[in-house]
Amino acid sequence: MPHTLTPNYHTNDSPMMALEHPLFADHGIKVWMKRDDLNHPTIQGNKWHKLKHNLEAAKAAGKSTLLTFGGAYSNHITATAAAGQTFGFQTIGYIRGDELAGRPERWSHTLHTAQQNGMQLHFLSRSDYRLKTQSDFLDTLSAKHPEAYILPEGGTNQAAIQGFQTLSQTIESQCQSWTHLFTAVGTGGTLAGLVKFATPNPQRHILGVASLKQADYLIPGIESLSGVSYNAAHSPNWRLLTEYCGPGYGQTAPDIEAARHWFESQFHIPLDSVYTNKMVYGFLQELQSGRLPSGSKVVLYHSGGLQGNPKT
């Protein structure tokens, strides 16, 4: 049976670190980074917030297995495998890309880590993977795996969104005067959770930096999950920034890599190449283009994902 869900850490222990640099001073802004990459060594960053209520629901339902979906670079896949190992669930991952089946030499570090943590990996063609939200497909999986609690891609559902209430309260207590909050965006759940639970203030802006191309399709889902319309005037404004994803999901470009090397050399804070690198790149581009006015107080949310970096 699954273990009691009593982790030996607290998410509000992750620090809010001030980032001081002449570039920021020259633009008249102050910058902090919320270091949720430090909230747990394996169930890292935003993934703990997404998983905690879902783990409780799986336990309450008497399920012994967590089943979910993701791509080859999915932090959610790695975090679900780690959560299963930590709390006594079996884990199953349905992975996009049947060309990876039987070819572990082509797997990402993410997939190797998930397998090492006990996850059974099943590879789907891209056409079959697109069925992951269809009721018939999910009914078939439920029949095949009756012991499984099924989590959506990225872990994004209403239970996941609820998990960001504590994070939002912690950010508020650590930096009450913030005006801009940047986060990376994959499926949109983290952005939706931060928008939903932010203290209402029309002077605030929550900015999600998409990690995949043509991400505008995420906007209706984020609106639905957060309950806040796009650019709503009565609450923190939020935007999805789609121009900083480079060649696409899991891919980078020289200017994005240059931003990462600059940031890591200046502040000695590691970034992951899929999500937080593009978030920082988007922030720097917004700053240099003049979209962050003097006097802004900016929080960069480090959502973890470092386990996805190749080990050297």
Side-chain angles (χ1 to χ4, degrees):
M1 292 296 293
H3 301 311
T4 302
L5 301 182
T6 309
N8 58 358
Y9 64 96
H10 304 283
T11 55
N12 59 2
D13 285 343
S14 67
M16 181 77 74
M17 296 182 63
L19 306 182
E20 297 182 357
H21 193 274
L23 174 65
F24 306 154
D26 289 346
H27 283 84
I29 70 168
K30 294 184 177 181
V31 183
W32 293 264
M33 177 163 271
K34 174 60 175 170
R35 295 289 308 276
D36 253 8
D37 58 310
L38 301 177
N39 67 357
H40 191 266
T42 55
I43 315 169
Q44 192 182 89
N46 63 329
K47 298 308 176 186
W48 170 248
H49 304 294
K50 285 187 171 186
L51 282 170
K52 58 184 177 181
H53 292 301
N54 278 297
L55 293 172
E56 291 167 355
K59 181 175 182 290
K63 301 296 186 179
S64 61
T65 300
L66 306 174
L67 184 154
T68 195
F69 310 89
Y73 300 94
S74 169
N75 292 333
H76 169 67
I77 288 292
T78 307
T80 301
Q85 185 180 69
T86 300
F87 296 117
F89 293 95
Q90 299 297 311
T91 54
I92 299 171
Y94 278 86
I95 309 300
R96 181 179 61 245
D98 56 352
E99 72 277 5
L100 298 173
R103 301 288 301 279
E105 72 278 3
R106 299 181 60 186
W107 292 3
S108 64
H109 182 72
T110 293
L111 294 182
H112 283 293
T113 302
Q115 187 184 61
Q116 290 163 9
N117 283 330
M119 179 173 275
Q120 299 175 33
L121 301 178
H122 302 273
F123 296 91
L124 297 174
S125 68
R126 280 159 176 75
S127 59
D128 285 346
Y129 188 82
R130 285 194 286 270
L131 302 175
K132 63 187 178 296
T133 60
Q134 301 297 314
S135 58
D136 289 349
F137 182 72
L138 292 173
D139 287 345
T140 299
L141 285 182
S142 294
K144 184 177 180 180
H145 305 285
E147 74 289 353
Y149 179 89
I150 298 180
L151 286 159
E153 181 183 47
T156 295
N157 56 17
Q158 284 293 349
I161 299 307
Q162 194 64 33
F164 287 96
Q165 183 172 17
T166 300
L167 173 62
S168 294
Q169 292 169 344
T170 303
I171 291 173
E172 189 71 23
S173 68
Q174 292 176 324
C175 188
Q176 295 181 5
S177 59
W178 67 268
T179 62
H180 296 75
L181 174 59
F182 282 79
T183 184
V185 174
T187 58
T190 299
L191 176 57
L194 292 171
V195 170
K196 181 178 180 67
F197 292 109
T199 301
N201 183 336
Q203 303 306 312
R204 284 181 165 178
H205 307 271
I206 302 179
L207 305 166
V209 180
S211 62
L212 65 161
K213 296 177 73 173
Q214 300 175 330
D216 288 323
Y217 75 92
L218 295 171
I219 290 173
I222 297 168
E223 288 182 312
S224 176
L225 289 166
S226 68
V228 179
S229 299
Y230 199 49
N231 281 325
H234 61 280
S235 205
N237 294 313
W238 67 273
R239 285 191 292 137
L240 182 65
L241 306 180
T242 60
E243 60 268 47
Y244 304 125
C245 64
Y249 183 72
Q251 302 177 59
T252 189
D255 53 345
I256 297 174
E257 281 299 301
R260 178 181 182 177
H261 294 317
W262 177 84
F263 184 88
E264 291 181 340
S265 67
Q266 296 300 311
F267 303 110
H268 308 291
I269 298 173
L271 303 175
D272 85 287
S273 60
V274 178
Y275 294 102
T276 52
N277 182 189
K278 292 180 180 180
M279 181 272 293
V280 165
Y281 172 70
F283 155 66
L284 292 172
Q285 292 297 307
E286 291 285 298
L287 175 63
Q288 292 167 352
S289 66
R291 297 191 183 99
L292 297 176
S294 179
S296 295
K297 297 181 178 180
V298 179
V299 174
L300 307 176
Y301 176 58
H302 196 315
S303 53
L306 299 178
Q307 78 289 328
N309 288 343
K311 298 299 186 284
T312 57

